């Protein structure tokens, strides 16, 4: 295999253009607050936030991972992204306004008002851990693509992906993420659209795709009903509780605009999921017998230089768009919940901004080593979503049933669910029960039990925004 220098040049040119935009946007980033919140005195348009939210949830882990799963299970792999769209619909109706009215831009801040400071710290640690797992899947998917473009070992390609992504994220902060991710979203759609068109053309059209694959590959339940429900639990839970969703929603000015942003994200996610699944199925016809993780990259390898470049640029957009949101969100949690509390609460903006910038680099580099050994991108991605699903249970309780459970129960449910969910995943999901179900059940059981065992309510009994 020879390096595809034309395609690589297209990707480099695309990233250079985004780097220029970032350098312009970052001129307004002079404090840690503007770096982490994205606000500079005026709100960000709701539709742009919707594009950003969609962009953050369809990184290389979603693009490459869905194609990888579709290579094995067919069109039913699309449910993993459709579930995210459904999650945003529920988010728009039930949580977008609640988060906006709470005045908090971290999930740990919301929990702290009802469950206390210990739960706040535990929530931050769990969210940081979950976001780092997402980064592992992102780098693994990006490495699979870059290895085709450069004709190098996937390990080296994964390291290069991580380093370049960190350099890209370093400058602009959340406001830069909002605007660059709009462009990333458009590029992702263009890349996936071209890849799907190329794949179907190469196969001979959709009719030939049907003729050359077993009928079960076109069944919407081929992956298993239990797995589909698990994806919905994990996907919807992730939209309810993910840190960068909360930060993005807080860049708009009102409850109504927060809902518009959520609806926009949902409408964009569903067709993307179907398209990436079809790409994996085309790859199965054209490249039977390859490793499933290479389903998307093998299709790129068949393309000419310019076409491959546009598709690869779209996947690069998937990587950089999501990793930038993850890095800024993680830095925000570390800044607000640890730096200001344990290191320095002084109003020293220069030191604070330096901290969040350096932290952004560190948390961007840490997942690279694990990404080299990630075998199944989609499984790793949904482990992170399952971990966040456990937090989503508490999110719903905070806003709709703050009387259920105790502070101690909240803390125990967060830590217990983290350990049990990861343990269940490492054991290979025994009895065919997905780890997402474990993440959902444990907080409900612990909070319900703590209510039964405790007669007096320890914490407050109103939603957080009612304490203001």
């Amino acid at each position: 295999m020879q390096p595809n220098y034309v395609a690589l040049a297209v990707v480099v040119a695309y990233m250079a253009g985004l780097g220029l935009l970032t350098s312009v946007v970052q001129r307004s980033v002079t404090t840690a607050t503007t770096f982490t919140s994205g606000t500079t005195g005026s709100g960000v348009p709701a539709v742009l936030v919707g594009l950003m939210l969609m962009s953050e949830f369809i990184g290389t882990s979603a693009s490459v991972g869905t194609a990888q799963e579709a290579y094995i299970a067919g069109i039913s792999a699309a449910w993993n992204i459709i579930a995210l769209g459904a999650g945003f619909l529920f988010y728009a109706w039930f949580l977008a306004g609640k988060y906006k009215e709470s005045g908090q831009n971290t999930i740990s801040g919301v929990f702290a008002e009802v469950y206390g400071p210990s739960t706040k710290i535990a929530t931050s640690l769990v969210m940081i851990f979950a976001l780092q797992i997402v980064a592992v899947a992102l780098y693994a998917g990006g490495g699979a693509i870059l290895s085709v473009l450069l004709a190098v070992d996937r390990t080296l390609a994964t390291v290069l992906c991580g380093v370049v992504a960190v350099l890209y994220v370093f400058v602009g902060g959340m406001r830069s993420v909002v605007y660059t991710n709009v462009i990333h979203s458009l590029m992702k759609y263009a890349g996936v659209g071209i890849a799907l068109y190329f794949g179907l053309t190469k196969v001979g059209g959709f009719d030939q795709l049907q003729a050359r694959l077993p009928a079960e590959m076109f069944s919407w339940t081929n992956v298993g009903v239990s797995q589909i429900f698990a994806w919905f639990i994990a996907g919807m839970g992730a939209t309810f509780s993910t840190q960068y969703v909360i930060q993005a929603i807080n860049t708009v000015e009102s409850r109504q605009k927060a809902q518009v942003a959520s609806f926009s994200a949902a409408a964009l996610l569903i067709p993307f999921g179907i398209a990436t699944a079809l790409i994996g199925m085309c790859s199965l016809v054209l490249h039977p017998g390859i490793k499933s993780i290479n389903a998307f990259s093998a299709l790129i390898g068949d393309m000419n230089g310019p076409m491959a470049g546009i598709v690869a640029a779209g996947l690069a957009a998937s990587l950089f768009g999501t990793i930038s949101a993850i890095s800024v969100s993680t830095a925000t949690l570390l800044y607000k919940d640890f730096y200001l509390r344990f290191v320095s609460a002084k109003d020293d903006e220069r030191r604070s901004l330096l901290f969040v910038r350096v932290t952004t680099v560190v948390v961007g580099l840490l997942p690279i080593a694990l990404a080299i050994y990630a075998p199944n991108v989609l499984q790793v991605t949904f482990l992170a979503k399952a971990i966040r699903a456990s937090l989503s249970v508490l999110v719903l309780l905070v806003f709709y049933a703050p009387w259920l459970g105790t502070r101690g129960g909240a803390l125990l449910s967060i830590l217990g669910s983290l350990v049990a969910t990861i343990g269940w995943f490492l054991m290979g999901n025994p009895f065919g029960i997905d780890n997402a179900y474990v993440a959902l059940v444990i907080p409900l059981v612990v909070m319900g039990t703590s209510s039964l065992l405790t007669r007096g309510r320890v914490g407050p009994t109103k939603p957080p925004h009612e304490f203001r």
Side-chain angles (χ1 to χ4, degrees):
M1 183 185 300
Q2 296 296 318
N4 192 331
Y5 292 115
V6 174
L8 189 62
V10 173
V11 175
V12 171
Y14 172 73
M15 296 313 304
L18 266 293
L20 180 62
L21 175 61
T22 299
S23 67
V24 173
V25 174
Q26 66 89 29
R27 292 175 185 174
S28 63
V29 180
T30 57
T31 68
T33 300
T34 54
F35 188 97
T36 58
S37 70
T39 57
T40 57
S42 61
V44 177
V47 174
L48 295 190
V49 174
L51 281 168
M52 174 191 175
L53 290 171
M54 184 274 290
S55 179
E56 289 167 353
F57 274 93
I58 54 173
T60 50
S61 55
S63 306
V64 176
T66 302
Q68 177 183 11
E69 187 67 21
Y71 189 92
I72 300 168
I75 193 67
S76 59
W79 282 114
N80 87 87
I81 295 181
I82 294 173
L84 295 172
F88 274 111
L89 290 177
F90 279 90
Y91 188 96
W93 284 114
F94 300 110
L95 290 175
K98 295 285 187 181
Y99 270 124
K100 187 64 182 172
E101 291 168 4
S102 74
Q104 299 286 345
N105 78 333
T106 65
I107 184 174
S108 56
V110 172
F111 284 176
E113 295 189 359
V114 175
Y115 299 131
S118 296
T119 301
K120 177 180 181 178
I121 296 301
T123 302
S124 283
L125 292 173
V126 170
M127 181 59 67
I128 290 168
F129 181 74
L131 292 177
Q132 290 295 98
I133 293 177
V134 175
V136 169
L138 286 169
Y139 289 151
I145 300 301
L146 189 60
S147 65
V148 172
L149 295 181
L150 295 179
V152 298
D153 179 72
R154 193 168 72 90
T155 297
L156 176 60
T158 301
V159 173
L160 288 174
C161 265
V163 172
V164 173
V166 169
L167 293 175
Y168 166 78
V169 172
F170 177 69
V171 180
M174 182 55 74
R175 194 170 185 84
S176 173
V177 169
V178 171
Y179 287 101
T180 56
N181 269 11
V182 171
I183 300 173
H184 285 324
S185 301
L186 300 176
M187 182 59 72
K188 291 175 191 181
Y189 252 90
V192 166
I194 290 172
L196 178 58
Y197 172 79
F198 176 84
L200 287 174
T201 301
K202 191 88 170 175
V203 169
F206 188 77
D207 290 341
Q208 279 298 309
L209 183 66
Q210 286 185 304
R212 298 171 68 176
L213 288 178
E216 61 265 22
M217 295 295 283
F218 292 88
S219 168
W220 285 93
T221 58
N222 188 46
V223 75
V225 174
S226 177
Q227 178 63 75
I228 292 170
F229 276 121
W231 282 343
F232 268 85
I233 291 170
M236 294 173 70
T239 58
F240 289 179
S241 60
T242 298
Q243 173 57 31
Y244 50 72
V245 173
I246 301 169
Q247 278 182 268
I249 290 297
N250 266 28
T251 62
V252 302
E253 299 166 317
S254 66
R255 178 192 184 107
Q256 290 72 25
K257 289 185 177 180
Q259 289 181 330
V260 170
S262 301
F263 281 128
S264 300
L268 290 164
L269 281 165
I270 294 172
F272 189 91
I274 296 172
T276 48
L278 288 172
I279 288 170
M281 295 164 69
C282 289
S283 186
L284 176 59
V285 171
L286 298 171
H287 299 281
I290 63 172
K291 291 183 179 179
S292 60
I293 194 174
N294 295 323
F296 208 134
S297 58
L299 199 64
I300 294 176
D302 292 336
M303 298 177 184
N304 61 39
M307 182 179 286
I310 295 174
V311 176
L315 291 172
S318 299
L319 170 64
F320 293 115
T322 309
I323 204 66
S324 59
I326 287 173
S327 298
V328 173
S329 298
T330 305
T332 299
L333 289 169
L334 289 169
Y335 170 68
K336 289 198 168 188
D337 295 342
F338 296 92
Y339 179 82
L340 291 180
R341 181 174 181 178
F342 299 112
V343 179
S344 175
K346 297 179 180 178
D347 188 20
D348 186 341
E349 287 294 350
R350 184 185 63 82
R351 288 177 58 192
S352 296
L353 182 58
L354 177 63
F355 173 81
V356 293
R357 288 194 188 280
V358 171
T359 301
T360 300
V361 173
V362 173
V363 299
L365 292 175
L366 284 177
I368 294 175
L370 289 176
I372 295 170
Y373 302 102
N376 187 302
V377 174
L378 201 60
Q379 286 182 6
V380 174
T381 301
F382 270 85
L383 170 62
K385 286 184 172 67
I387 292 171
R388 285 174 283 171
S390 66
L391 296 178
S392 73
V393 174
L394 293 181
V395 168
L396 292 172
L397 293 180
V398 161
F399 289 125
Y400 290 101
W403 43 266
L404 180 65
T406 64
R407 291 187 174 190
L411 179 61
L412 181 60
S413 68
I414 290 172
L415 298 178
S417 182
L418 174 66
V419 173
T421 302
I422 294 174
W424 201 261
F425 172 80
L426 293 176
M427 288 189 294
N429 294 331
F431 313 110
I433 300 173
D434 194 90
N435 54 83
Y437 293 105
V438 176
L440 177 68
V441 168
I442 286 181
L444 291 173
V445 171
V446 172
M447 292 298 278
T449 302
S450 66
S451 283
L452 293 175
L453 296 178
T454 306
R455 291 185 178 181
R457 173 71 183 177
V458 179
T461 58
K462 299 180 181 179
H465 63 273
E466 293 185 13
F467 288 91
R468 299 185 176 281

